[in-house]
Amino acid sequence: MDNGDLNSEDFLKIFYIPDFVFDPEAAEETNLEVPKCPVIVFINSKSGGQLGGDLLNTYRGLLNKLQVFDLGEEAPDKVLHRLYRNLERLKSNGSEFAAEIQKRLRIIVAGGDGTAGWLLGVVCDLKLAQSPPVATVPLGTGNNLPFSFGWGKKNPGTDLKSATSILEQVMKAKEMKIDSWHIIMRMKALKEGSCDPIAPLELPHSLHAFHRVSDSDSLNKEGSHTFRGGFWNYFSMGMDAQVSYAFHSERKLHPEKFKNQLVNQSTYAKLGCTQGWFCASLVHPSSRYIAQLAEVEIMKRPGEWEHLDIPRSIRSIVCLNLPSFSGGFNPWGTPSGRKKAERDLTAPFVDDGLIEVVGFRDAWHGLVLLAPKGHGTRLAQARRIRFRFKKGAADHTYMRLDGEPWKQPLPVDDDTVEVEISHHAQVNILAIEGCRSKSIQDPTTPTSPYSHHHDEEDSNEDTDDDSYEERRKFGAADTFRFTEDADITHFS
């Protein structure tokens, strides 16, 4: 389909939704042809600098203005509740047009990972019998969600050609399921200081942010402070989150110093060294190993908790749902046939109700992700995972949910802090050519030239032996060197 066809009136009719579907006061039109792919578009006008606002104006010029929403003006939950309430009203009056719109509807969301997660969370909470699939258009910084499903990492163009090209991709896209994960944290009130897990950033209005549950919530326990939240991509804890926290805090204090990508990379690398991520720090007690901070349990089968042994050298742990972490790397990789047989490990599916648990020793270990078949230390695949933090190992640690870091106080007396992650729900998402994610319903889903079509060789063992220092020195200078286009922020 050439550019002329993309901009034609007939092409745009494929996506156009008339006024009365959105406005109960508008007169219902009759004898209308149902659009093949009706869409509603949510755009974060503050994402991508000026790009968000420009893209918003472009889509409002292409489609009905009533089907294009600025997330800075109206929250998606209000929009979708109003839309579906009106669709149900029209259906009850016998409107087959409304029934078909509801059946065929697709959603486009353009923004960063926080914006995409916000929209996915709203769709998930609606609990519709027929959930509309969501296309996540990259318009932020990390863009791990769009990248995982073929939409890329680079911000799109905002001209007519780019906007209509996205519409064509949405029409041709394939539906997939994606798991979401619930996280709950319980702690007793500390005798000194605050126990609130408050991040240094203004968190998005999505499942990414923790919030305190009310006293009437069934999750709450008397005498405890209980927080809950969720994520679509990953939860991490340890040194990677500490470096990310330091970087985000510094950027918030001095935003004028972080306008150049090379400067950002240099600052991130410097923080990685000073915080002890490239070598163990004697100055920062928070760089202690995960095994010193917490006892970890996993659940592979319903109701059966078992201890997870964390190698003593692991200083960062990642609970991963999507094959895209810190800029597009896949820490889990594709286990070899031997690993599958010996340890019951599988490829990372995004809809199998399992989360991949990966460990890293330090930033040098993270550099193995530059290799074609590199991966972290595979610790487990589980349906649930629980962290019980020990008294006295440290007074705090660092955590991240989908890129949002915070400093978490830990127990100073006999009380404990518990963090538990469990499967929450699923939503429909749209995948296009270049998709890196695999569905358990269709293991052939990925079509990306970068995805692994063959099992890896067992060249990167998931072991923790005393020869690690020698192996690190052997590989750091050559095998794991930075490539010319490597971005140091990927290794946070």
Side-chain angles (χ1 to χ4, degrees):
M1 188 175 290
D2 61 32
N3 191 41
D5 291 330
L6 287 176
N7 289 325
S8 70
E9 185 175 339
D10 287 341
F11 173 74
L12 295 176
K13 285 180 179 179
I14 295 173
F15 310 96
Y16 190 89
I17 303 177
D19 289 5
F20 72 89
V21 172
F22 300 96
D23 184 3
E25 302 299 322
E28 181 176 351
E29 301 176 48
T30 57
N31 299 320
L32 291 175
E33 183 178 349
V34 180
K36 179 180 178 181
C37 182
V39 298
I40 53 174
V41 184
F42 292 98
I43 298 175
N44 187 341
S45 59
K46 297 180 181 180
S47 291
Q50 185 64 33
L51 295 179
D54 291 346
L55 191 62
L56 181 75
N57 291 330
T58 301
Y59 273 115
R60 284 180 170 170
L62 285 172
L63 304 170
N64 186 344
K65 292 181 179 180
L66 293 180
Q67 67 189 100
V68 183
F69 301 91
D70 182 354
L71 289 171
E73 298 177 353
E74 192 168 17
D77 52 340
K78 293 182 179 179
V79 172
L80 292 175
H81 275 104
R82 186 172 66 244
L83 171 62
Y84 278 94
R85 191 162 51 241
N86 199 42
L87 285 172
E88 290 300 325
R89 179 186 64 83
L90 290 168
K91 286 165 57 181
S92 66
N93 292 335
S95 173
E96 294 183 4
F97 184 91
E100 285 298 317
I101 290 288
Q102 185 168 334
K103 179 181 177 181
R104 302 180 188 187
L105 184 66
R106 295 190 164 195
I107 294 176
I108 299 173
V109 56
D113 282 334
T115 302
W118 180 16
L119 199 286
L120 289 171
V122 168
V123 172
C124 183
D125 289 344
L126 285 175
K127 295 180 172 58
L128 298 168
Q130 197 168 36
S131 179
V134 179
T136 56
V137 176
L139 197 64
T141 51
N143 296 326
N144 284 297
L145 260 167
F147 185 60
S148 296
F149 295 94
W151 298 94
K153 289 188 291 185
K154 294 183 179 179
N155 294 336
T158 60
D159 56 9
L160 289 173
K161 180 179 179 181
S162 299
T164 50
S165 177
I166 290 172
L167 289 174
E168 184 183 24
Q169 288 178 307
V170 169
M171 177 178 64
K172 296 178 179 179
K174 180 178 181 179
E175 289 190 39
M176 288 179 64
K177 296 284 187 183
I178 176 178
D179 292 323
S180 67
W181 293 85
H182 180 257
I183 181 168
I184 187 166
M185 178 185 293
R186 288 195 184 95
M187 65 197 82
K188 290 191 176 180
L190 300 180
K191 295 178 180 178
E192 299 178 2
S194 170
C195 68
D196 287 1
I198 299 175
L201 304 175
E202 182 180 353
L203 296 178
H205 300 290
S206 67
L207 285 177
H208 296 235
F210 268 121
H211 64 272
R212 189 192 298 268
V213 304
S214 66
D215 293 338
S216 59
D217 195 302
S218 61
L219 292 172
N220 198 24
K221 287 186 176 179
E222 186 176 355
S224 294
H225 293 305
T226 304
F227 301 84
R228 66 187 302 181
F231 61 96
W232 300 94
N233 194 3
Y234 69 88
F235 165 83
S236 71
M237 178 180 67
M239 278 304 305
D240 76 298
Q242 179 176 340
V243 176
S244 177
Y245 179 90
F247 177 81
H248 281 68
S249 299
E250 186 72 14
R251 186 168 62 178
K252 184 182 180 184
L253 290 173
H254 306 286
E256 71 282 357
K257 297 180 180 180
F258 292 82
K259 295 182 179 180
N260 181 282
Q261 188 178 32
L262 290 177
V263 173
N264 291 357
Q265 293 172 358
S266 175
T267 303
Y268 214 108
K270 186 185 300 182
L271 288 170
C273 292
T274 59
Q275 299 289 324
W277 187 213
F278 281 89
C279 58
S281 171
L282 299 177
V283 179
H284 293 84
S286 53
S287 67
R288 286 191 174 98
Y289 304 115
I290 298 297
Q292 291 179 282
L293 290 173
E295 294 177 353
V296 185
E297 296 177 297
I298 58 172
M299 183 184 291
K300 293 182 178 180
R301 299 172 200 76
E304 298 181 16
W305 287 101
E306 59 184 82
H307 173 75
L308 179 63
D309 185 34
I310 305 296
R312 62 184 180 275
S313 64
I314 297 298
R315 293 197 291 150
S316 181
I317 193 167
V318 183
C319 301
L320 189 69
N321 186 41
L322 303 180
S324 182
F325 173 71
S326 286
F329 292 109
N330 181 2
W332 186 258
T334 305
S336 66
R338 183 167 70 85
K339 290 288 172 63
K340 291 177 182 177
E342 290 179 356
R343 299 185 54 196
D344 192 26
L345 301 179
T346 72
F349 298 111
V350 298
D351 56 353
D352 60 356
L354 295 174
I355 197 162
E356 284 70 44
V357 186
V358 186
F360 288 97
R361 295 176 280 258
D362 52 27
W364 297 115
H365 189 191
L367 293 184
V368 304
L369 298 180
L370 286 175
K373 296 179 180 179
H375 60 84
T377 299
R378 300 186 185 106
L379 299 173
Q381 284 177 304
R383 299 184 181 280
R384 305 178 80 166
I385 183 168
R386 178 190 293 157
F387 299 89
R388 295 180 188 269
F389 292 91
K390 302 175 181 178
K391 170 185 85 167
D395 60 3
H396 65 271
T397 188
Y398 294 86
M399 300 179 181
R400 280 200 299 172
L401 278 175
D402 285 0
E404 304 287 352
W406 75 94
K407 183 178 179 179
Q408 176 57 48
L410 294 179
V412 294
D413 49 29
D414 291 333
D415 294 330
T416 59
V417 172
E418 284 188 5
V419 173
E420 186 173 324
I421 295 169
S422 58
H423 187 264
H424 176 58
Q426 289 186 331
V427 295
N428 295 320
I429 202 161
L430 290 171
I432 60 175
E433 184 178 359
C435 174
R436 296 163 58 92
S437 299
K438 292 183 179 181
S439 167
I440 196 169
Q441 305 298 329
D442 181 10
T444 64
T445 302
T447 56
S448 168
Y450 305 105
S451 59
H452 300 151
H453 295 286
H454 302 285
D455 288 348
E456 67 189 24
E457 298 174 1
D458 290 323
S459 57
N460 186 14
E461 294 292 330
D462 301 322
T463 57
D464 181 54
D465 54 61
D466 294 332
S467 66
Y468 165 63
E469 287 299 322
E470 292 303 316
R471 289 188 284 113
R472 189 192 75 178
K473 293 174 184 176
F474 176 79
D478 188 22
T479 309
F480 301 149
R481 68 181 183 275
F482 287 97
T483 58
E484 291 182 359
D485 61 346
D487 184 347
I488 187 69
T489 60
H490 290 171
F491 314 130
S492 63

